[in-house]
Amino acid sequence: MNGQTSLSEADNNAFAALSDKIAEKCGEVSVGSSDIAGLLNSVIQSSEEFGQKRADLLETFNRLEQDQRKAADASDEARQLSQQGGQKLAQSIDLIETALGEISSLLELVGTLEQHIVGFAAAFEQVRSSTSQIDEIAEMTGILALNASIEAARAGEQGNSFSVVASEVKALAANTSRATAEINSTVERFAGEANELVQSVKLGAQTSREAESSVGQIEKTVSDVVHVFEEVDRNSEEATRATGQISGQLASASKVIAGFDAAAAQSSQSLGTAHAIAGELEITASEMFDSVVKAGLSPADSAMVEMALQNRDRIKEVTQTAMRAGTLDAGALFDTNYEAIEDSNPVRYKSRLTQWADENWRLLLDEMKRAHPAVSATVCSDMNGFLPTHRTERSLEPTGEKAHDDAYCRNGRIVIGPMTKKAKASEDDYQMAVYRHVGDGSAYKIVRNVYVPLIIDGRRWGDVELAYSI
């Protein structure tokens, strides 16, 4: 009998060990599938981000092609304008050269005119000198005529004829003096005008010499412009060839990106299918884990379930007491008109239940967390996944740093995934799940979770959740 009893105890111990092993393996499968689903989700997110960058790159290439076409058009237009400018300049060169030749001839005429004017001025000086000599002769003739008249008067009748001649000579001398005076006056007037003309011609000659230098500069400038147009034409031709080559390279790159885009789209589709399968596997593994725990095959998990049930009862008692006291009404408890909190990132919300939950549920959540070292989180979430409050350490004031706010400002968040939806659709006393818990927005850990329905006055508000790690 004792041997049979001892054998029975051994069988029981073996069965208990086997049960623990089954529960452990189910948990490992759940964790593994959840981990795979999480990794696939990260890959999908990276693929989506890469797809966006790929789309941005393709758009950049399209803009480059447009700019390249504009550059090619501008290069062609510049080349055409350069050719037209060169043709017009070539036509203008003949006119410019003709005009420059005429200007040179005119400058030579101005130089010749200067020489003639200077000679003309010298001739006036000679006229002035000659009239001066004639005037002196007329004066001497007048003196001689006067002397002849005196001598004729002394001769009496015999000098009458000589007297007549002397009178005529005197008259001739007087007329000569008047004529030379008029000539002198005219010469003086012409001499002044000639002097002004000489000065003007000299100034014009000086200007013409300077103009001659400018003409040479014009010829050099025209020659330089011709060379510039020729250089522009060569550069435009090279630019046209270069833009054509670049356009071809851009077109090839766009084709490569388009082919890669098609491959990436197919890969994204495959990733999406794999993620969906992994998600289904995660749910299936959690269902297996749920069945093992509900079958009583995992005492450690059953102990955590019992703790979650006790937590739910405490939350329920505090809530019903407040409703009976009139400090909380059903309208506030079941309020789903969530109001987004301004400038919150990630987005948080508040409802009519928020303040009361902060003052009454938060203390209980803090105590639940401290009750067992395996507990990692405990929350109350309504049927939409809204967390009206959270533990004190997860309800800090936001700093604006996303990583901090995502980890420590979780009160007011709406968090609902496939496992949470499944739990809220279940009518069992509790629902088990294994999932990836994101901590700071990037790192995560695998936790087990118990969902216990919270029913107030016959109406399900949501669930009291207990997350733990064994």
Side-chain angles (χ1 to χ4, degrees), residues 133-156:
Q133 292 176 2
I134 293 172
D135 188 55
E136 290 178 359
I137 292 172
E139 184 178 356
M140 292 177 64
T141 303
I143 293 172
L144 291 174
L146 179 60
N147 292 332
S149 296
I150 294 173
E151 292 298 329
R154 288 178 181 177

Side-chain angles (χ1 to χ4, degrees), residues 7 45 101 159 171-172 184 191 195 243 302 330 333 338-339 355 360 417 439:
L7 180 61
Q45 290 179 352
L172 176 61
N184 284 332
N195 185 55
T243 52
S302 296
L333 178 64
Y338 313 120
E339 181 182 350
Q355 183 176 351
N360 296 273

Side-chain angles (χ1 to χ4, degrees), residues 345-346 390-396 401-411 413 437-443:
N345 183 26
H390 210 294
R391 301 194 324 274
T392 301
E393 65 177 314
R394 299 295 179 182
S395 303
L396 303 181
E401 183 182 356
K402 188 177 184 305
H404 171 275
D405 295 350
D406 188 45
Y408 299 103
C409 305
R410 302 188 68 81
N411 54 318
R413 298 276 300 279
H437 173 70
V438 179
D440 59 359
S442 58

Side-chain angles (χ1 to χ4, degrees), residues 123-169:
F124 265 107
E125 289 297 326
Q126 292 178 357
V127 170
R128 183 185 290 111
S129 177
S130 298
T131 55
S132 176
Q133 292 176 2
I134 293 172
D135 188 55
E136 290 178 359
I137 292 172
E139 184 178 356
M140 292 177 64
T141 303
I143 293 172
L144 291 174
L146 179 60
N147 292 332
S149 296
I150 294 173
E151 292 298 329
R154 288 178 181 177
E157 292 181 0
Q158 295 178 355
N160 286 337
S161 298
F162 185 75
S163 176
V164 172
V165 173
S167 296
E168 291 297 329
V169 171

